[in-house]
Amino acid sequence: LSALPAAERRSSAQRRRSCGLGVAAAMGTSQSSPTSTSHRPHGSLQSIFFFPSFVPQRSRGTFAGLASFNWSSASLLQQAPLPIEPELKQRIKRVTRVYWCSDPFNEMGSLRDLSPRSLPRWMAARQSRGLSGPATWEAGHSYAVIDVEAVDPQSGGLQQQRYRLNWGQGIKHGTNLSMLPQDHLPERKVTGDRLESDWEGTCSGDELYDLLKRWDGRLYDSAPSNNSNCHHFVQELIHRCTAELGYD
């Protein structure tokens, strides 16, 4: 991300919940205070991506019934109970679709829809540079919704599931990284919570898991120059899990 133009590297002041400020605030200092204080690990990623499958160990026999040293009497061969050991199997096989979504700068109250989201992308020339996703210093909050192909632990069959991936808002969620089931998608519209774009997913479940583990437990920072705000997270998801370029 160090190759981004100056417009994308400009920093922002501190925000309480959303991860980007308006264009004017983006001219502030590059030393922003972490605003989502809970950077503890997610805690449930493994249970989302894997499920336990109980596989019996190789059976073993024990001799019993030798009441005396009379070796002429037959001993009884008993089969010991089979010990059960859990084995983790992959639940999420692959990402089939990635949806980039955004919220306005809700902290502005009734003026929240005046906070620009598209203008910073145009000023950063992202489209002409062949890049997809948000600018790192735009107002509002970027998040992703993903469709995944997952294994049903009961039947073993494949099914489609949908999750919201969110970075930041640690005070609200208890951890900066959250992955929650979600059924709906926001509409494509000008104001409010909206769907920005979507692409076919290209990464496996293992690749998505590795990406999230790299972010899990990190310190959130709203400054565009520090590669730790919600827009950076969505850029990397687009870059790693679609055929699009999130950054150059």
Side-chain angles (χ1 to χ4, degrees):
L1 293 176
S2 59
L4 296 179
E8 286 217 56
R9 294 199 304 269
R10 290 172 184 152
S11 62
S12 64
Q14 178 174 342
R15 290 194 61 178
R16 184 170 290 274
R17 285 178 295 276
S18 298
C19 76
L21 283 175
V23 177
M27 303 296 183
T29 172
S30 62
Q31 299 298 319
S32 67
S33 300
T35 57
S36 296
T37 57
S38 179
H39 56 277
R40 66 179 179 82
H42 180 281
S44 299
L45 280 180
Q46 182 169 286
S47 64
I48 295 174
F49 280 81
F50 303 95
F51 65 92
S53 176
F54 294 94
V55 179
Q57 281 187 331
R58 187 176 58 184
S59 62
R60 67 175 185 268
T62 59
F63 286 95
L66 297 179
S68 66
F69 291 101
N70 181 10
W71 294 99
S72 62
S73 61
S75 61
L76 300 177
L77 179 63
Q78 292 184 340
Q79 193 72 25
L82 297 178
I84 302 298
E85 290 192 348
E87 176 183 296
L88 290 180
K89 289 195 174 182
Q90 189 176 32
R91 182 195 304 271
I92 296 181
K93 290 295 187 180
R94 65 186 184 98
V95 177
T96 58
R97 198 96 192 146
V98 175
Y99 305 88
W100 163 39
C101 309
S102 72
D103 280 326
F105 187 12
N106 290 318
E107 286 77 0
M108 292 181 65
S110 60
L111 300 178
R112 62 183 177 273
D113 289 326
L114 298 180
S115 59
R117 284 176 274 177
S118 299
L119 179 61
R121 303 165 201 166
W122 176 79
M123 295 179 66
R126 289 187 61 80
Q127 185 174 3
S128 64
R129 291 158 55 207
L131 303 179
S132 298
T136 59
W137 55 282
E138 65 185 62
H141 177 71
S142 289
Y143 67 95
V145 176
I146 59 171
D147 290 338
V148 301
E149 190 177 72
V151 176
D152 181 354
Q154 300 300 322
S155 67
L158 294 177
Q159 58 186 6
Q160 289 291 317
Q161 296 179 344
R162 178 170 288 171
Y163 292 92
R164 172 176 171 145
L165 290 177
N166 194 81
W167 171 254
Q169 299 180 321
I171 297 175
K172 176 180 178 180
H173 296 290
T175 173
N176 286 332
L177 177 66
S178 60
M179 182 175 180
L180 301 172
Q182 177 162 312
D183 294 329
H184 70 280
L185 286 172
E187 299 177 4
R188 294 182 187 267
K189 55 185 180 179
V190 176
T191 61
D193 184 17
R194 72 189 190 196
L195 173 63
E196 299 283 355
S197 192
D198 63 287
W199 307 274
E200 181 180 356
T202 59
C203 66
S204 67
D206 282 338
E207 289 169 332
L208 176 64
Y209 181 70
D210 289 343
L211 185 156
L212 297 183
K213 290 294 289 183
R214 288 197 298 271
W215 282 84
D216 195 20
R218 282 175 54 176
L219 190 65
Y220 170 85
D221 194 327
S222 61
S225 57
N226 293 337
N227 296 341
S228 295
N229 69 28
C230 63
H231 307 308
H232 294 115
F233 174 75
V234 171
Q235 282 185 1
E236 182 165 0
L237 178 68
I238 293 171
H239 198 86
R240 303 293 182 187
C241 280
T242 77
E244 303 293 311
L245 298 177
Y247 50 82
D248 52 14

